[in-house]
Amino acid sequence: MDEFWQTFLIATIPSIITALLSYLAALKASNTQIKAIKEQNKADIEKLVEQNKVI
């Protein structure tokens, strides 16, 4: 049974580390995209407000 756990840990530990690193990279990328979209929407809203003030 000891050999089973050793093999199990050898297989699962690297996959867990890889999964965590992938998750963190995806989280960072999505946060960056969300921030960019918020800035773009903010600029678009300000532009529309200025257009309505002129009218």
Side-chain angles (χ1 to χ4, degrees), residues 20-33:
L20 285 174
L21 292 176
S22 296
Y23 173 76
L24 292 175
L27 186 65
K28 183 178 179 182
S30 65
N31 284 339
T32 303
Q33 290 176 347

Side-chain angles (χ1 to χ4, degrees), residues 12-54:
T12 56
I13 289 175
S15 63
I16 291 171
I17 292 170
T18 303
L20 285 174
L21 292 176
S22 296
Y23 173 76
L24 292 175
L27 186 65
K28 183 178 179 182
S30 65
N31 284 339
T32 303
Q33 290 176 347
I34 289 171
K35 185 176 179 181
I37 291 170
K38 283 183 179 180
E39 291 295 322
Q40 182 181 1
N41 286 344
K42 184 177 177 183
D44 290 344
I45 290 172
E46 289 175 358
K47 185 177 177 181
L48 290 172
V49 168
E50 288 297 320
Q51 286 177 351
N52 286 333
K53 283 183 181 178
V54 173

